[in-house]
Amino acid sequence: MSLTAKNVTTENCRVKRRLGLLSSVSFIVGNIIGSGIFISPRNVLAKTQSVGLCLVTWVLCGVISMCAALVYAELGTLIPKSGAEHAYFMKTYGSFVAFMYVWTQACAVMPGSMTVKALTLSEYISEVIFDGCGPSPNMKKIIAITAIVSVAITNCISVRLAARVQIFFTFVKLLGLVVIIVGGIWWMSTGKFGSLVTGFDGTTNDVQDVALAVYSGLWAYDGWYVITRLHIHKRLQNLPLAIVISVLLVTAVYLLVNVSYLAVLTKSEFLSSWAVGVTWAEQVISPAVIFIPIVVICSVYGSSNGASFTNSRLLFQAAREGHMPEICSYIQVHSLIPLPSVLLLTTLSVVYMIPAEIASLMNLLNFLGWLFYGMAMIAVIVLRWKMKDAKRIVKVPLVIPIFVLLISIYLVVTPFIQDPKVEFLYALAFLGAGAVVYIPVVYFKLSIPGMASLTRAGQCLLEVVPTQIVKDEDL
């Protein structure tokens, strides 16, 4: 019997797998499609310097994302546990690497990513509501914090509400992108092809610029990994199917949207725009130009909702392994939501808002993200040997994880060589701090003074209880 405000027993308290195929696809697509497709196109074109190579780069980024997602599909069906990379790293490398992963995710990547999305949303809300002068930076941060809190409230009420919100905003953002695609087709039907006619003219011959273009494109695709953090109904069947459907859909949409952008705008208009989608709308649907900022707002909000839902599940699973505070492994007795995990990540996201600067946060997130993506690619190779007799629902050719591993090595190493920034030192500091915390707290299992009292107080206040550990065959 666990202590709660109403003496509720923990019997049959567990996180249920209630997301079907449609909801799973909505969470993946909703998490991938955020502000990236409205921001990254300019950076990709600026680095490739030609329309032809720009479009090839978007396809290449889709291929890389699909390859990485298929590797995660193999890992997710081979080790059918919630917790994604944390569970894979536990099986492959052991406790230390798994802890380091969840430490960086909880302390840097997840709250930092939520902060970036909230600040981007705030920028577009400011464009819609305020005049040319706009609000002050502090007011923008207040708007961003309000968005973070509203997402948290949605995810604290019920899984069903979070899923319905995700489906709605995914539909809205896809509708907006379809409008851009159809608008481009109509534009071309009138015989206007904008910068598309330039083809590969002016293509850069600098390999580093091409790599940086891929880097920008991959930021727009980031989010394909969330499926392995979800509680999915019929996991072994729906997980690989949801990944393939989602990444193919996003790749097709991104390519067609860029074709539409390039069919309407000249290269100079494209590169000088603060938001390519808005500039496109000014020429094609000028009376309804406000439509695009609204679509971006819905897109980023939906992405934030999906991130909050999936990130809290990762933290919840890590806490069950003793790698996060015990209370993060508890769920709310009525909603069966890992409420403490949601609240902790929300609090950290708000704290990050105080010194927040989008460009610096993005550098930090990209570095740490691709560091552990590379570790996941190594994991699938190692598990081919450690679990060689295990049944694999999905089994990718080894060339695929090796290919993605090489990409991740380049993206992690290159910044230190080409353009070292202070954010990369912060990343190393996070890793070092994690190693220091691991030794006494996890390895020697020393209790932090006062933590037990805080846990009991949290149980009474939030009405949360420990979960029943579910056997692998029940997942």
Side-chain angles (χ1 to χ4, degrees), residues 44 48 52-68 207 209-218 221 224 247 251-252 254-255 370 403-404 407:
V44 174
T48 57
L53 187 56
C54 173
L55 296 177
V56 169
T57 299
W58 281 103
V59 175
L60 176 60
C61 290
V63 170
I64 294 172
S65 299
M66 176 61 78
C67 288
V207 176
D209 281 344
V210 175
L212 292 173
V214 172
Y215 201 92
S216 295
L218 287 174
Y221 279 94
W224 45 262
V247 179
T251 302
Y254 278 7
L255 181 62
W370 280 98
F403 167 66
V404 180
I407 295 292

Side-chain angles (χ1 to χ4, degrees), residues 73 116 241 263 290 302 391 403 439:
V116 169
L241 189 58
I290 196 175
K391 182 180 178 181
F403 167 66
I439 295 172

Side-chain angles (χ1 to χ4, degrees), residues 337-350:
I337 286 174
L339 185 58
S341 295
V342 175
L343 295 180
L344 176 59
L345 291 175
T346 300
T347 301
L348 290 175
S349 299
V350 172

Side-chain angles (χ1 to χ4, degrees), residues 208-282:
Q208 181 182 342
D209 281 344
V210 175
L212 292 173
V214 172
Y215 201 92
S216 295
L218 287 174
W219 171 257
Y221 279 94
D222 197 41
W224 45 262
Y225 54 82
V226 300
I227 188 64
T228 53
R229 300 180 183 179
L230 299 175
H231 296 93
I232 304 170
H233 181 60
K234 297 182 180 178
R235 182 183 183 85
L236 297 182
Q237 172 186 323
N238 286 335
L239 188 147
L241 189 58
I243 285 177
V244 172
I245 292 173
S246 301
V247 179
L248 284 177
L249 176 62
V250 171
T251 302
V253 168
Y254 278 7
L255 181 62
L256 292 173
V257 166
N258 275 277
V259 168
S260 181
Y261 286 159
L262 294 164
V264 173
L265 305 176
T266 65
K267 287 174 66 173
S268 60
E269 290 173 334
F270 201 109
L271 295 174
S272 62
S273 173
W274 74 274
V276 176
V278 175
T279 305
W280 176 93
E282 289 173 347

Side-chain angles (χ1 to χ4, degrees), residues 78-142:
L78 179 65
I79 306 174
K81 293 183 177 180
S82 300
E85 293 97 328
H86 182 266
Y88 314 150
F89 293 163
M90 280 288 289
K91 188 71 174 181
T92 308
Y93 307 112
S95 178
F96 177 70
V97 174
F99 172 81
M100 291 299 292
Y101 169 73
V102 78
W103 168 268
T104 57
Q105 290 291 309
C107 295
V109 176
M110 294 190 294
S113 177
M114 184 65 74
T115 299
V116 169
K117 291 175 181 178
L119 287 172
T120 303
L121 184 147
S122 176
E123 289 287 345
Y124 275 88
I125 289 178
S126 300
E127 287 293 329
V128 171
I129 296 178
F130 297 94
D131 57 23
C133 296
S136 67
N138 288 337
M139 178 58 69
K140 289 183 179 180
K141 288 188 177 183
I142 291 174

